[in-house]
Amino acid sequence: METIKLTYPVEGGDLIEAGEASSKMKLTLKKLGLPQDVIRRASICMYEGEINMVIHADGGQAQVEVGMDQIVIRMEDTGPGIPDVEQAMQEGWSTAGATARELGFGAGMGLPNMKRYSDDMTVESRPGEGTTVTLVIRIPQPCEA
């Protein structure tokens, strides 16, 4: 299989439409016939990153590359950046505003869940410039006899 590249814009501030990109990616992964566990993990990672971009960064862009042995999701925004990435990785820590919290978002599980459900995760953040999160989800290969 040739590497498939997908790009999804993520609109900021619109919590009603949040999740659109992750839903589209999930449908594509299903059409490609990937294992259900891989689809689930990639979808969770994409959704959490998408919600973070909507709440904290006024949107951004998600790029997904699907190869034979892995899915790479790169989520990039031009938001305020994360001043303390280590603190942001702590479960329950959040800077989400009241509106997001009233709608059930902002529980401080986005980055921790992305780390939990990916095989590799890097966070590059530049305060005042934006954040890039890169996630790798490995695709198990069939065993050869």
Side-chain angles (χ1 to χ4, degrees), residues 82-100:
I82 303 170
D84 186 338
V85 172
E86 189 174 319
Q87 184 178 34
M89 292 299 298
Q90 302 301 311
E91 290 187 13
W93 188 86
S94 177
T95 60
T99 302

Side-chain angles (χ1 to χ4, degrees), residues 98-115:
T99 302
R101 289 176 187 268
E102 287 169 7
L103 292 172
F105 299 101
M109 293 303 295
L111 288 173
N113 277 340
M114 292 163 79
K115 183 166 181 63

Side-chain angles (χ1 to χ4, degrees), residues 38-51:
V38 170
I39 295 170
R40 181 181 63 81
R41 293 173 54 225
S43 297
I44 291 169
C45 290
M46 180 80 154
Y47 180 79
E48 294 287 10
E50 186 178 356
I51 293 300

Side-chain angles (χ1 to χ4, degrees), residues 22-87:
S22 54
S23 292
K24 288 178 181 177
M25 182 200 69
K26 183 178 183 179
L27 285 174
T28 300
L29 298 180
K30 282 182 177 183
K31 287 178 184 176
L32 291 172
L34 294 177
Q36 185 59 39
D37 183 60
V38 170
I39 295 170
R40 181 181 63 81
R41 293 173 54 225
S43 297
I44 291 169
C45 290
M46 180 80 154
Y47 180 79
E48 294 287 10
E50 186 178 356
I51 293 300
N52 280 352
M53 285 196 288
V54 169
I55 292 173
H56 302 289
D58 198 29
Q61 185 178 61
Q63 297 174 333
V64 181
E65 290 188 13
V66 184
M68 285 295 293
D69 60 350
Q70 67 182 14
I71 300 168
V72 178
I73 302 171
R74 180 181 169 96
M75 308 192 85
E76 192 169 5
D77 68 58
T78 54
I82 303 170
D84 186 338
V85 172
E86 189 174 319
Q87 184 178 34

Side-chain angles (χ1 to χ4, degrees), residues 6-24:
L6 310 164
T7 301
Y8 302 99
V10 177
E11 294 296 322
D14 188 354
L15 289 168
I16 304 303
E17 294 295 319
E20 189 74 23
S22 54
S23 292
K24 288 178 181 177

Side-chain angles (χ1 to χ4, degrees), residues 141-145:
Q141 300 303 304
C143 296
E144 293 185 23

